[in-house]
Amino acid sequence: MKKRILGRTGLEVSEIGLGTWAFGNNVYGGVAEKDGIATIHAGIDMGINLFDTAPQYGTDKQDGVAEIVLGKALKGKRDKVFISSKFGRNPCIKNGASQFYKSRIIDSVNESLKRLQTDYIDVLFFHSPFSPNEINDDVWEGIEQVKKQGKVKFIGHSISMFHQTENMARQWANENKIDVVQVVLSLMNRESQKLINELHESNVGVFARECLANGFLSGAFTKDTVFKEGTLNARYSREQLAERIDQVEAFKFLIQNDIHNMPEAALRWVLDQNGVTTTLSGAKNIHELKGAVSASKAKSFTKEELQKAKTVLKKNHEAA
């Protein structure tokens, strides 16, 4: 597994990281705890040293289910890996209200540490603030406190509602309040590329997420696919589904040489983008994770292939 330096943090992280959203709830169909643990262990064996999680990756009855799974899996292995988690959103909050203020970050970090069975988090992200109005001024006092206590090493901004919040990331990076960002980036959604390039100039590390466009770039869906009610992609109409399937078809020219399928092509494309440090795989099992790791080993696309991939994109498709 190749590694890259995560910007100003200096952490040397694997090109492929493992995101654990699927281990926390049924958003992608559900994963048994033992299977999640086995996948995490396999990831370490493959050279993955970065695992991303969050209190939000749980249910309306239990926060941080994915953190619990990750904590069990990493018992006795903590010194070999980096963990990123988040704060500010919890599934047990009934109205979905955000909590970006001092007392909540302190409590959230302590709760996450307990679930993760560790005494520190390498990178703590603001979890998807939807606007600057959600950020209480005292949150920075809370951040300073958990950092001084050694419970958190670095701070990041996991960006959602991109156009409403990208300037927050710019400002926080310029003020040295954050060290890392996490953004949606895929063949089907490239709206973050300008920001990534700017932050790269400021030596801010970049996690790329949703690199398979919520599974559409897995190649597993067809125009006849029916998504189970309650899963993430069940929200799309038949017309929207067909549009996305057609777009995926247009990218299949990237499957060639040592690229064997659409997921590998999609992840290789992300790794070839300027400024990206690591690509988060949302693999639910060992087989899917092996495919993601293969993308890191594959040759980079040529300039001509990257240009063609740019021209065939009809529009940016919305992120989760």
Side-chain angles (χ1 to χ4, degrees), residues 175-205:
E175 294 172 351
N176 292 318
K177 289 181 174 179
I178 61 172
D179 311 289
V180 187
V181 294
Q182 188 174 142
V183 293
V184 171
L185 180 64
S186 76
L187 279 163
M188 295 177 68
N189 186 315
R190 311 177 195 183
E191 62 186 0
S192 64
Q193 284 189 307
K194 184 174 184 292
L195 177 65
I196 290 172
N197 288 331
E198 291 176 17
L199 296 183
H200 178 60
E201 294 299 318
S202 300
N203 201 26
V204 172

Side-chain angles (χ1 to χ4, degrees), residues 69-262:
V69 174
L70 186 59
K72 291 180 179 179
L74 295 181
K75 195 169 184 179
K77 305 175 187 292
R78 178 66 180 94
D79 61 339
K80 300 177 181 179
V81 302
F82 301 113
I83 296 174
S84 61
S85 192
K86 306 176 185 74
F87 81 98
R89 298 199 179 278
N90 298 73
C92 289
I93 302 298
K94 300 302 181 185
N95 62 2
S98 60
Q99 305 164 78
F100 300 108
Y101 50 87
K102 178 180 178 179
S103 62
R104 187 57 201 142
I105 185 177
I106 293 170
D107 290 343
S108 182
V109 166
N110 287 331
E111 292 161 7
S112 288
L113 292 175
K114 184 176 180 180
R115 289 189 289 260
L116 289 164
Q117 300 185 53
T118 186
D119 55 6
Y120 69 97
I121 294 167
D122 294 285
V123 181
L124 182 72
F125 287 99
F126 282 80
H127 199 165
S128 303
F130 293 161
S131 81
N133 296 331
E134 290 187 319
I135 310 300
N136 289 55
D137 289 341
D138 68 355
V139 74
W140 303 106
E141 296 174 13
I143 286 172
E144 192 62 26
Q145 180 171 323
V146 294
K147 288 181 73 174
K148 281 185 176 179
Q149 292 171 338
K151 296 177 179 180
V152 172
K153 291 188 175 181
F154 301 102
I155 299 297
H157 176 191
S158 182
I159 303 175
S160 292
M161 305 295 285
F162 183 77
H163 295 296
Q164 288 94 314
T165 61
E166 61 175 312
N167 283 332
M168 290 168 55
R170 287 188 177 92
Q171 179 180 341
W172 290 350
N174 289 335
E175 294 172 351
N176 292 318
K177 289 181 174 179
I178 61 172
D179 311 289
V180 187
V181 294
Q182 188 174 142
V183 293
V184 171
L185 180 64
S186 76
L187 279 163
M188 295 177 68
N189 186 315
R190 311 177 195 183
E191 62 186 0
S192 64
Q193 284 189 307
K194 184 174 184 292
L195 177 65
I196 290 172
N197 288 331
E198 291 176 17
L199 296 183
H200 178 60
E201 294 299 318
S202 300
N203 201 26
V204 172
V206 175
F207 287 26
R209 74 172 188 272
E210 296 180 38
C211 302
L212 297 186
N214 305 128
F216 281 94
L217 289 165
S218 70
F221 305 155
T222 71
K223 293 181 181 179
D224 297 321
T225 297
V226 176
F227 296 104
K228 184 178 179 181
E229 186 175 351
T231 59
L232 194 65
N233 290 325
R235 57 190 167 153
Y236 295 122
S237 68
R238 303 313 300 179
E239 292 76 14
Q240 290 172 319
L241 173 60
E243 180 183 44
R244 283 165 171 74
I245 297 300
D246 287 341
Q247 183 64 82
V248 174
E249 287 294 320
F251 292 129
K252 287 191 174 179
F253 74 92
L254 293 170
I255 303 173
Q256 57 180 302
N257 301 324
D258 56 352
I259 300 290
H260 304 101
N261 51 51
M262 200 63 237

